[in-house]
């Protein structure tokens, strides 16, 4: 029961973090979680690779994580992506 409570608490915390993301950042996060490179994301969204990289960096900052693996893990744990 305690484990379930902690899990729900973490999910709510992560949900609040994702509310900080813009619609475009969430869109880019989905593509990152699908395994696309910055170049592939840029081509799909008709933006530059640098812009994708800037979005990725802002997502990392907002989620307070240091790398893409942790960013994806939080996105999956929070239910934002599957």
């Amino acid at each position: 029961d305690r484990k379930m409570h902690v899990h729900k608490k973490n999910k709510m915390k992560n949900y609040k973090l994702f509310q900080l993301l813009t619609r475009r950042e969430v869109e880019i996060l989905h593509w990152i979680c699908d395994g696309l490179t910055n170049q592939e994301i840029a081509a799909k969204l008709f933006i530059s690779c640098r812009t994708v990289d800037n979005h990725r960096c802002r997502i990392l900052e907002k989620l307070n994580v240091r790398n893409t693996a942790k960013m994806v893990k939080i996105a999956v744990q929070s239910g934002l992506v599957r």
Side-chain angles (χ1 to χ4, degrees), residues 12-29:
M12 278 305 291
K13 179 182 169 194
N14 290 339
Y15 176 75
K16 288 178 183 176
L17 285 174
F18 284 113
Q19 288 181 321
L20 298 173
L21 300 180
T22 65
R23 195 175 309 162
R24 183 62 120 184
E25 289 167 346
V26 170
E27 182 179 16
I28 287 175
L29 179 57

Side-chain angles (χ1 to χ4, degrees), residues 4-5 7 13 34 40-41 53 62 71:
M4 188 121 162
H5 175 72
H7 179 69
K13 179 182 169 194
D34 280 347
E40 292 167 330
I41 296 169
D53 191 51
K62 288 180 179 182
M71 177 175 61

Side-chain angles (χ1 to χ4, degrees), residues 28-45:
I28 287 175
L29 179 57
H30 277 276
W31 290 119
I32 292 169
C33 291
D34 280 347
L36 273 67
T37 65
N38 284 2
Q39 218 171 7
E40 292 167 330
I41 296 169
K44 280 191 175 292
L45 301 178

Side-chain angles (χ1 to χ4, degrees), residues 66-78:
R66 292 183 294 173
N67 58 53
T68 302
K70 183 67 174 179
M71 177 175 61
V72 170
K73 182 179 177 182
I74 288 173
V76 171
Q77 286 177 339
S78 71

Side-chain angles (χ1 to χ4, degrees), residues 45-74:
L45 301 178
F46 304 102
I47 58 177
S48 73
C49 288
R50 183 71 188 136
T51 301
V52 174
D53 191 51
N54 286 337
H55 283 302
R56 181 189 294 263
C57 289
R58 277 197 300 278
I59 295 166
L60 291 170
E61 287 174 13
K62 288 180 179 182
L63 298 182
N64 196 30
V65 294
R66 292 183 294 173
N67 58 53
T68 302
K70 183 67 174 179
M71 177 175 61
V72 170
K73 182 179 177 182
I74 288 173

